[in-house]
Amino acid sequence: MPTSTTLSNTTNHTDEISIIERMKQAYKTVRAIRRISELAARSDHKSVAPMDSANGNYELLPSTPALMNEGSRLLATALAEFATTSFDEFTSFSNDEQWLLVCAFQKPFHISDIAYRSIAEFGDKWTRHFTGYTHFMDIEYIEQYTAASGTEHHEETIRTTRYHYEKNIKPLRIEFARFAPREEELAAIFGFLFWNIDTDQEVRQEFFDFAEHYRTRILEDLRRYYARQQFAEYGQRIGELLCLCNLVLNRVPNHTNIYEIARLLDV
């Protein structure tokens, strides 16, 4: 039976620290882990010198099934670090409970992260998006991506992938670009998504208490942030941010198309 963790044990010293700031720093760590790991795995003519990696001087590569598979494993590891850095209570949970939270967070994080980072990198190429930290996909690369897998379901894979990009990737990318979240707002989005505990999950009541606690802290931090920015209509902005969170969560089931694509590719 996991040891009970109470909020009173952990919040006295952390309430003075902006939870949004902690998540911002944790997100930077996630990005560094993914960038360093993905670039270090490149070989031959695609390899990147250490200083080029550190300074962001590297080429984005069209994705392959192998790159996506490895990138997904790296992301899970990085998100465990995100949770440990952001939320003191996370380390007191059992390994199974920690893994449950990381797995539930991985897809919403991935959807939000690729939509956010694609704004600056890909502009209005709405179907182009990151599939990892240093690789991407778009409609014109689908045939190349499919051929790399050696699948016998070539045409079906192309149709399914194209549908996924047009119906799922494109609308979400447009909504993120319209909202144009600042770093603090993106961190808040991550926090809300992380503590979106599914009532169907078999978790302790304490998890719901933590979720309510952190959602409250994030809202308070957002209000203070908007006050410092002298943002008069912050109520409407928070409403739009929460709607964006709901949009991401609603898109998670739609992204099961990626599993159908994986099946067709024999991944």
Side-chain angles (χ1 to χ4, degrees):
M1 186 72 178
T3 303
S4 177
T5 305
T6 61
L7 289 170
S8 60
N9 292 334
T10 56
T11 56
N12 289 338
H13 65 286
T14 56
D15 275 340
E16 298 176 358
I17 305 173
S18 165
I19 187 63
I20 287 180
E21 188 59 36
R22 294 184 70 170
M23 290 188 294
K24 275 179 57 181
Q25 295 305 315
Y27 181 50
K28 290 180 180 178
T29 301
V30 168
R31 294 176 68 159
I33 290 172
R34 299 176 72 194
R35 171 176 51 80
I36 293 169
S37 300
E38 289 185 12
L39 293 179
R42 293 187 184 182
S43 58
D44 301 328
H45 66 283
K46 296 178 182 178
S47 62
V48 178
M51 292 314 301
D52 286 336
S53 172
N55 295 324
N57 297 324
Y58 55 85
E59 180 186 4
L60 296 175
L61 300 179
S63 194
T64 66
L67 286 175
M68 288 185 66
N69 201 28
E70 183 61 25
S72 182
R73 286 197 292 266
L74 289 171
L75 178 57
T77 301
L79 292 183
E81 186 67 28
F82 174 90
T84 300
T85 303
S86 300
F87 314 114
D88 292 328
E89 296 84 1
F90 185 77
T91 55
S92 68
F93 301 153
S94 70
N95 285 344
D96 287 344
E97 289 172 331
Q98 291 178 11
W99 184 238
L100 179 68
L101 289 174
V102 168
C103 287
F105 182 48
Q106 183 165 357
K107 182 58 72 174
F109 175 91
H110 175 67
I111 294 171
S112 305
D113 174 68
I114 65 174
Y116 172 76
R117 291 195 296 120
S118 294
I119 295 173
E121 189 67 41
F122 304 132
D124 60 0
K125 296 179 179 179
W126 299 119
T127 54
R128 183 164 296 193
H129 61 286
F130 286 100
T131 53
Y133 195 82
T134 63
H135 42 91
F136 71 97
M137 268 298 291
D138 204 346
I139 286 175
E140 65 259 39
Y141 294 96
I142 293 176
E143 291 198 29
Q144 173 184 327
Y145 173 87
T146 305
S149 71
T151 179
E152 297 177 357
H153 310 286
H154 187 74
E155 295 301 324
E156 187 178 355
T157 304
I158 291 174
R159 285 196 302 271
T160 304
T161 306
R162 184 184 296 272
Y163 176 87
H164 176 57
Y165 291 176
E166 289 285 357
K167 298 298 182 181
N168 296 319
I169 298 294
K170 181 177 179 178
L172 195 73
R173 278 217 49 217
I174 290 173
E175 286 303 311
F176 261 81
R178 183 194 62 78
F179 184 73
R182 304 170 186 181
E183 289 184 355
E184 291 77 8
E185 292 171 321
L186 181 68
I189 289 172
F190 289 151
F192 286 130
L193 294 175
F194 184 90
W195 290 108
N196 179 64
I197 306 297
D198 191 336
T199 55
D200 292 333
Q201 292 174 322
E202 296 183 3
V203 297
R204 291 178 282 143
Q205 176 58 40
E206 289 165 298
F207 279 72
F208 296 100
D209 296 337
F210 292 137
E212 181 179 357
H213 167 75
Y214 277 109
R215 286 196 297 263
T216 300
R217 283 185 62 186
I218 293 166
L219 281 172
E220 291 172 349
D221 268 10
L222 275 176
R223 293 189 184 101
R224 284 192 288 267
Y225 167 73
Y226 289 133
R228 290 194 301 271
Q229 300 296 314
Q230 297 183 331
F231 201 102
E233 300 297 329
Y234 70 84
Q236 178 180 341
R237 185 72 174 173
I238 290 176
E240 292 175 352
L241 185 149
L242 294 175
C243 286
L244 198 59
C245 289
N246 285 332
L247 179 62
V248 170
L249 293 171
N250 289 335
R251 289 288 174 182
V252 169
N254 294 344
H255 275 248
T256 55
N257 281 321
I258 202 68
Y259 297 116
E260 174 63 11
I261 295 168
R263 183 190 68 80
L264 293 170
L265 295 173
D266 298 322
V267 175

